[in-house]
Amino acid sequence: GAVVSQHPSRVICKSGTSVKIECRSLDFQATTMFWYRQFPKQSLMLMATSNEGSKATYEQGVEKDKFLINHASLTLSTLTVTSAHPEDSSFYICSASSGQIYEQYFGPGTRLTVT
Amino acid sequence: RKEVEQDPGPFNVPEGATVAFNCTYSNSASQSFFWYRQDCRKEPKLLMSVYSSGNEDGRFTAQLNRASQYISLLIRDSKLSDSATYLCVVNRNNNDMRFGAGTRLTVKP
């Protein structure tokens, strides 16, 4: 149980384009989903927290107009990186929580490369 | 000061060795604590929760000292497959989790 999927697993895009990453909880209802970013040899950094049906809460320093988050259902959240730049190249990981216990289940991550 | 601090390592140990990782956290209101394991280019996976009474899962023992705001993980009889980065994770409240930068472990034959 508690499986989270992400799609795509890897994406290469050109600078200036937008990329959408999907995060799905496959066997439970995720009341809360989290988006993290991890640069090489660094820890996961929380970007935003989203609750189903409401606006995401962004961490300080994360531009909400650049990283659009939608959590329209209890099993799906999307992160859109708009007007991507090479410095946005990173490993993006989502996680999901059912809210019952203080644990998060992580997706396998999406490796974004912006050329 | 980072909210969750870990010794980045790397720890290079032979198979069969016992190795211990430490972690300190700054927010005294933190509510729950975990150790996650992350393999290279993979997502973190929950290794174990950490309780004040201490808990053990096979070769792994985790302990929490709330007074000192300190968490530890002990791995006994290290296996090659234990090689990974170990992340100390602190849940501030309501699933607001903060990650340490991780401690790299390499177990060598």
Side-chain angles (χ1 to χ4, degrees):
Chain A
V3 178
V4 177
S5 70
Q6 263 184 260
H7 177 80
S9 58
R10 185 183 295 267
V11 58
I12 300 172
C13 71
K14 292 187 177 179
S15 188
T17 60
S18 295
V19 174
K20 180 185 281 189
I21 302 169
E22 291 187 350
C23 177
R24 293 181 186 272
S25 57
L26 299 183
D27 52 2
F28 67 102
Q29 293 188 325
T31 53
T32 308
M33 285 188 169
F34 306 84
W35 287 96
Y36 295 86
R37 180 167 53 183
Q38 186 176 33
F39 292 107
K41 297 189 178 181
Q42 294 187 27
S43 185
L44 276 72
M45 295 300 294
L46 180 65
M47 298 175 68
T49 302
S50 73
N51 292 297
E52 185 264 338
S54 60
K55 289 184 179 179
T57 301
Y58 289 80
E59 293 296 299
Q60 193 172 12
V62 179
E63 300 173 56
K64 56 184 166 185
D65 293 331
K66 179 170 180 63
F67 299 99
L68 302 178
I69 291 172
N70 184 284
H71 190 170
S73 78
L74 285 170
T75 59
L76 173 65
S77 176
T78 60
L79 167 69
T80 301
V81 182
T82 62
S83 188
H85 291 285
E87 56 264 33
D88 298 325
S89 299
S90 187
F91 192 45
Y92 291 85
I93 307 176
C94 74
S95 71
S97 170
S98 64
Q100 298 298 319
I101 53 175
Y102 289 120
E103 287 185 8
Q104 294 182 20
Y105 301 96
F106 286 85
T110 297
R111 192 160 299 280
L112 170 64
T113 302
V114 184
T115 60
Chain B
R1 184 188 169 194
K2 293 180 182 176
E3 185 162 346
V4 182
E5 299 219 48
Q6 292 182 249
D7 180 347
F11 285 66
N12 298 308
V13 303
E15 266 187 297
T18 296
V19 61
F21 304 139
N22 302 321
C23 170
T24 57
Y25 61 95
S26 61
N27 189 333
S28 60
S30 299
Q31 298 184 355
S32 52
F33 310 87
F34 308 91
W35 283 101
Y36 276 73
R37 170 196 169 126
Q38 186 175 25
D39 293 290
C40 188
R41 294 175 173 260
K42 300 282 189 181
E43 76 277 21
K45 291 188 185 296
L46 179 65
L47 181 64
M48 58 199 304
S49 302
V50 188
Y51 306 114
S52 296
S53 55
N55 49 308
E56 187 173 311
D57 183 3
R59 299 181 292 107
F60 299 84
T61 301
Q63 292 202 307
L64 164 66
N65 184 321
R66 283 190 185 268
S68 302
Q69 295 179 202
Y70 168 94
I71 304 159
S72 66
L73 176 68
L74 182 77
I75 305 175
R76 291 182 299 277
D77 189 22
S78 301
K79 311 290 184 191
L80 295 177
S81 57
D82 294 333
S83 298
T85 296
Y86 291 83
L87 306 174
C88 174
V89 183
V90 172
N91 190 338
R92 296 200 287 183
N93 62 76
N94 201 27
N95 258 321
D96 181 4
M97 295 173 78
R98 302 289 152 163
F99 287 76
T103 299
R104 284 186 62 193
L105 170 67
T106 301
V107 181
K108 299 185 174 180

